[in-house]
């Protein structure tokens, strides 16, 4: 479990002449932004000078392997040019950023293929925190010498930096976090007489109570889940586990069995969609946007997506809360993914100075703040507590709670995906009544143990 935070700043906003609260990152009402921005300009100038880049070199694009979320955070809102960091970066450096965005379900497979090929077209690759096994880290360029020059990296949460180290050698720079919280339909809660859950069991009970038939005959489900992620989250929230950080298999522990049995009751009581086993992130998002699910678990900034009137039927009706723990006032271990930017070892060596300028720009305080206002999750405590971020992100306190209680679903190693797939398959079998929870987890243990024993 990542214990990233010990304190979270009280929310504050700038105020205009009429004493109205406003969201602002301008240098007048936020001196720290002005200072950070000056530092960012100095970073860029120093890097360009050290690199000795020619005009021809500057015209070669920096090709980035990423998800659309990274591009959106960097480019900002189309009708708000002040949020467009890419335009500012390209104007200030002369470099052009070319994005290759890959949908989340295909990203890991495509990344592994890219890193294993003879040569890579990419100068920078984005690495999610559950991917950097030793085999992956060995295919990234060491940043050890560069790290000493980049003082801004010292502000990043140490546990995030540690996730990208190979024998103490940094291989990627964290630039985005994505702590998971619960998003809920406020209208459904109100109509069904549901109050904010104070414990995890309250949350599950709310899922049952929220399930109903609408007046138009449509079925509304209390909770829509992504089986590959949310089953493990539920198990951990109820005190169970799949695999400890030191690779001890825990699937047959009583608390894990009990959690699977509780999930089965959700299915039996109609709180989960009947096709839950085949649902993915896209289908769950669709259910939330259509008002067919009362709750779902997603990264904090999905609040903006669910409340976007351009794409959501429930815009303005979706709220959030941190995942509650077993006791009132506590929080459950939350899936906490984060992303690092790295050089692929098979990429263009001549493009690395330009790419390093880009990575340092992403990690700089002023850019981290603006990306956070654009929906990016912070990777340092200063940005998380910055009044400008707090004002721009209503979910910031829930984000802080999630980051403080963040946990990886599984330890990172070459067999982690296989372990996840086995566990989810057996858990689904129990949830659908094809096996007892005890039998399913016994079968899971028999399949997982050899994978763990053979880990590199």
């Amino acid at each position: 479990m990542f214990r990233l935070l010990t304190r979270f700043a009280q929310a504050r906003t700038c105020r205009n002449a009429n004493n109205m609260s406003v969201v602002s990152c301008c240098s007048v009402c936020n001196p720290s932004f002005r200072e950070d921005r000056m530092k960012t300009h100095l970073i860029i100038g120093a890097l360009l000078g050290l690199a000795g880049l020619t005009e021809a070199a500057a015209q070669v694009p920096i090709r980035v392997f990423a998800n659309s979320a990274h591009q959106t955070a960097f480019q900002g809102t189309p009708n708000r040019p002040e949020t467009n960091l890419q335009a500012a970066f390209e104007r200030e450096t002369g470099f052009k950023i070319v994005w290759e965005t890959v949908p989340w379900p295909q990203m890991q497979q495509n990344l592994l293929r890219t890193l294993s090929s003879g040569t890579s077209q990419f100068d920078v690759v984005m690495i999610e925190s559950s991917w950097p096994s030793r085999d992956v880290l060995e295919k990234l360029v060491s940043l050890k010498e560069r790290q000493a020059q980049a003082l801004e990296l010292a502000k990043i949460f140490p546990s995030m930096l540690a996730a990208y180290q190979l024998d103490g050698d940094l291989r990627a720079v964290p630039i985005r976090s994505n702590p998971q919280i619960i998003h809920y339909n406020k209208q459904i809660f109100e109509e069904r007489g549901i109050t904010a859950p104070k414990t995890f069991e309250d949350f599950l009970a709310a899922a049952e109570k929220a399930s109903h038939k609408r007046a138009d005959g449509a079925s509304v489900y209390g909770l829509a889940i992504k089986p590959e992620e949310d089953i493990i989250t539920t198990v951990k929230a109820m005190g169970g586990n799949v695999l400890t950080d030191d690779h001890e298999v825990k699937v047959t522990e009583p608390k894990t069995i009990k959690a699977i049995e509780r999930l089965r009751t959700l299915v039996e009581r109609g709180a989960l969609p009947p096709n839950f086993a085949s649902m993915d992130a896209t289908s769950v998002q669709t259910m939330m946007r259509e008002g067919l699910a009362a709750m779902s678990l997603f990264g904090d900034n999905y609040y903006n997506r669910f409340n976007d009137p351009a794409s959501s039927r429930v815009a303005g009706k979706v709220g959030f809360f941190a995942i509650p723990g077993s006791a009132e006032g506590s929080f459950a271990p939350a899936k906490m993914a984060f992303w690092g930017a790295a050089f692929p070892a098979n990429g263009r060596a001549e493009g690395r100075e330009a790419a390093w300028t880009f990575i340092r720009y992403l990690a700089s305080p002023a850019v981290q703040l603006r990306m956070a206002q654009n929906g990016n999750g912070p990777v340092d405590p200063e940005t998380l507590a910055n009044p400008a971020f707090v004002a721009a992100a209503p979910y910031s306190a829930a984000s802080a709670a999630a980051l403080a209680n963040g946990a990886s679903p599984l330890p990172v190693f070459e067999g982690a995906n296989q372990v996840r797939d086995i566990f989810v398959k057996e858990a689904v079998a129990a949830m659908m009544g094809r096996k007892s929870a005890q039998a399913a987890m016994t079968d899971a243990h028999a399949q997982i143990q050899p994978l763990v024993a053979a880990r590199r």
Side-chain angles (χ1 to χ4, degrees):
M1 181 182 298
F2 300 98
R3 293 292 178 182
L4 300 179
L5 306 172
T6 58
R7 184 177 297 174
F8 183 69
Q10 294 293 321
R12 291 181 288 127
T13 58
C14 302
R15 293 184 178 271
N16 62 15
N18 296 318
N19 202 37
M20 297 290 289
S21 297
V22 295
V23 176
S24 176
C25 64
C26 68
S27 60
V28 175
C29 53
N30 191 346
S32 65
F33 181 82
R34 177 179 62 221
E35 180 182 353
D36 285 341
R37 197 170 166 171
M38 290 174 62
K39 290 178 181 177
T40 301
H41 288 310
L42 290 172
I43 288 171
I44 293 173
L47 283 170
L48 291 175
L50 287 171
L53 294 168
T54 65
E55 183 178 351
Q59 292 174 352
V60 176
I62 301 171
R63 298 188 177 276
V64 184
F65 174 92
N67 181 263
S68 60
H70 303 110
Q71 183 179 10
T72 298
F74 199 56
Q75 293 180 343
T77 305
N79 60 352
R80 294 180 58 202
E82 74 276 10
T83 68
N84 192 332
L85 291 161
Q86 179 163 334
F89 176 82
E90 292 180 345
R91 182 172 59 251
E92 293 169 8
T93 66
F95 301 137
K96 180 177 176 60
I97 304 298
V98 176
W99 298 89
E100 175 80 19
T101 58
V102 181
W104 166 250
Q106 290 82 48
M107 274 202 77
Q108 184 177 14
Q109 182 179 0
N110 287 14
L111 173 73
L112 295 176
R113 187 182 301 116
T114 292
L115 295 179
S116 299
S117 63
T119 58
S120 172
Q121 62 175 310
F122 301 110
D123 301 297
V124 175
V125 292
M126 299 296 181
I127 311 285
E128 200 260 4
S129 54
S130 66
W131 302 345
S133 62
R134 172 171 286 272
D135 182 59
V136 169
L137 292 172
E138 287 174 346
K139 293 181 172 67
L140 304 176
V141 175
S142 169
L143 302 176
K144 186 175 183 178
E145 293 183 3
R146 298 178 187 273
Q147 182 181 9
Q149 306 164 2
L151 299 181
E152 66 274 11
L153 303 191
K155 295 184 177 183
I156 295 173
F157 289 119
S159 57
M160 291 188 183
L161 288 168
Y164 296 106
Q165 290 182 357
L166 178 64
D167 300 327
D169 188 359
L170 187 67
R171 298 297 173 110
V173 175
I175 54 90
R176 170 183 173 82
S177 69
N178 190 30
Q180 193 174 73
I181 62 177
I182 296 170
H183 302 268
Y184 74 101
N185 188 308
K186 294 185 287 185
Q187 182 177 346
I188 294 175
F189 267 45
E190 182 178 350
E191 292 174 349
R192 305 293 292 174
I194 302 170
T195 57
K198 296 181 179 180
T199 67
F200 195 78
E201 180 53 39
D202 288 347
F203 161 65
L204 298 179
E208 295 173 352
K209 190 172 182 179
S211 303
H212 67 286
K213 285 273 191 182
R214 285 195 321 213
D216 63 2
S219 294
V220 175
Y221 299 96
L223 177 63
I225 67 169
K226 312 173 294 296
E228 286 191 354
E229 300 178 23
D230 300 340
I231 293 176
I232 295 179
T233 295
T234 300
V235 166
K236 287 198 163 190
M238 296 186 70
N241 206 345
V242 178
L243 202 59
T244 64
D245 289 342
D246 57 359
H247 301 91
E248 184 179 356
V249 183
K250 292 287 188 177
V251 295
T252 55
E253 294 291 315
K255 289 184 178 180
T256 303
I257 302 293
K258 183 178 179 180
I260 299 300
E261 291 173 342
R262 184 67 180 92
L263 283 167
R264 180 171 178 172
T265 65
L266 291 183
V267 176
E268 293 171 343
R269 296 172 184 174
L272 301 183
N275 63 332
F276 77 89
S278 61
M279 296 187 72
D280 58 13
T282 300
S283 55
V284 173
Q285 288 177 51
T286 298
M287 291 193 71
M288 283 295 296
R289 286 174 170 143
E290 294 294 321
L292 298 175
M295 294 183 289
S296 63
L297 292 90
F298 276 104
D300 52 5
N301 57 37
Y302 277 77
Y303 168 84
N304 299 322
R305 305 187 194 191
F306 294 142
N307 285 291
D308 181 1
S311 60
S312 176
R313 292 179 182 270
V314 294
K317 300 176 183 177
V318 177
F320 56 84
F321 52 89
I323 303 173
S326 58
E328 289 190 19
S330 68
F331 299 102
K335 182 196 173 192
M336 201 276 286
F338 48 93
W339 296 82
F343 301 149
N346 57 356
R348 297 182 307 121
E350 64 273 18
R352 285 178 190 153
E353 295 304 330
W356 181 236
T357 303
F358 173 60
I359 291 176
R360 285 192 67 182
Y361 189 83
L362 291 174
S364 62
V367 172
Q368 274 292 304
L369 176 58
R370 171 48 76 186
M371 287 201 302
Q373 292 171 302
N374 289 350
N376 196 64
V379 296
D380 66 273
E382 290 185 14
T383 301
L384 188 66
N386 191 295
F389 171 63
V390 172
Y395 48 80
S396 59
S399 302
L403 284 167
N405 293 274
S408 295
L410 294 169
V412 178
F413 72 107
E414 281 76 5
N417 286 350
Q418 291 173 277
V419 169
R420 178 202 63 206
D421 292 346
I422 290 167
F423 176 76
V424 170
K425 178 191 69 174
E426 295 296 340
V428 167
M431 291 167 65
M432 298 182 74
R434 296 198 296 262
K435 295 181 178 181
S436 68
Q438 182 68 59
M441 292 300 100
T442 299
D443 290 346
H445 189 285
Q447 299 170 69
I448 290 171
Q449 188 61 54
L451 294 173
V452 173
R455 73 185 186 280
R456 184 181 173 190

